[in-house]
Amino acid sequence: MDIKQTQTVFCPYCEKPAELVHGKEIYPHAGPPQNGMYWLCRPCQAWAGTHKNSSKHAPKASLANAALRKARQKAHAAFDQLWSENLMQRTEAYAWLATEMGVHEKRCHIGFFDLDQCLKVARVSMEMFEDLTADHHVHDQKRTIHLSGNSNSRGMSCRVI
């Protein structure tokens, strides 16, 4: 398949131009969405997917090697639970993350973060998740049952506070 490159994307590891390839080269046994277009640096085994409807095959992220791809997956797993479990609204979560990362909200995209940034995303997201779920746990613990009367009386009552 002859693919016309309309721009040049450089590998962040070797600084050489990446090649535009079909996803079948990267994920030979996978179907959608992996069957789209990718920017690939063969020597570094670094790649990034492209935006589906981009005529210039704009990359969705910076090229990532195996270690960075794994770190991005972990960062997303930790961060995404903040909004997917309704602990925050998605836009609120990204605004919070942008502040934590010291980046503008429009630039707050895990796909463009480096290894250290991804590790920080995972750490601060897990801390926030623990803080938010601890708050829920404390509220649940406050709903305790108080018994009045003694255990031998028939008129025992309870109230939930």
Side-chain angles (χ1 to χ4, degrees):
M1 175 190 292
D2 189 28
I3 302 168
K4 183 181 179 193
Q5 288 190 206
T6 56
Q7 68 173 312
T8 304
V9 173
F10 292 92
C11 175
Y13 304 101
C14 68
E15 299 180 0
K16 294 182 180 168
E19 178 184 353
L20 185 62
V21 300
H22 193 276
K24 291 177 188 171
E25 283 197 51
I26 294 171
Y27 299 106
H29 304 293
Q34 287 79 11
N35 64 0
M37 303 302 290
Y38 287 76
W39 289 100
L40 168 66
C41 177
R42 289 183 196 279
C44 299
Q45 284 298 292
W47 62 76
T50 64
H51 288 282
K52 190 184 243 182
N53 298 320
S54 170
S55 61
K56 294 185 177 188
H57 303 291
K60 288 196 258 184
S62 60
L63 273 64
N65 63 14
L68 183 53
R69 287 191 301 273
K70 188 173 186 173
R72 286 178 178 170
Q73 289 168 350
K74 287 183 178 183
H76 261 296
F79 173 71
D80 290 354
Q81 68 183 347
L82 295 174
W83 57 267
S84 66
E85 294 192 21
N86 297 316
L87 298 171
M88 296 175 136
Q89 295 294 320
R90 191 169 192 260
T91 54
E92 176 188 16
Y94 272 100
W96 166 80
L97 184 61
T99 301
E100 287 291 316
M101 299 303 294
V103 298
H104 190 277
E105 268 186 71
K106 290 183 180 181
R107 299 256 183 229
C108 189
H109 190 314
I110 293 169
F112 289 100
F113 288 169
D114 63 22
L115 187 63
D116 289 338
Q117 288 172 310
C118 288
L119 295 174
K120 181 176 179 178
V121 169
R123 180 179 49 77
V124 298
S125 295
M126 288 187 290
E127 289 169 359
M128 177 59 84
F129 181 82
E130 289 172 7
D131 288 348
L132 292 173
T133 55
D135 286 347
H136 288 288
H137 183 67
V138 167
H139 292 302
D140 289 343
Q141 284 181 335
K142 286 182 180 176
R143 292 183 50 89
T144 56
I145 297 175
H146 293 273
L147 300 174
S148 58
N150 63 45
S151 59
N152 295 332
S153 75
R154 293 183 145 203
M156 186 179 293
S157 64
C158 66
R159 62 186 174 95
V160 177
I161 58 166

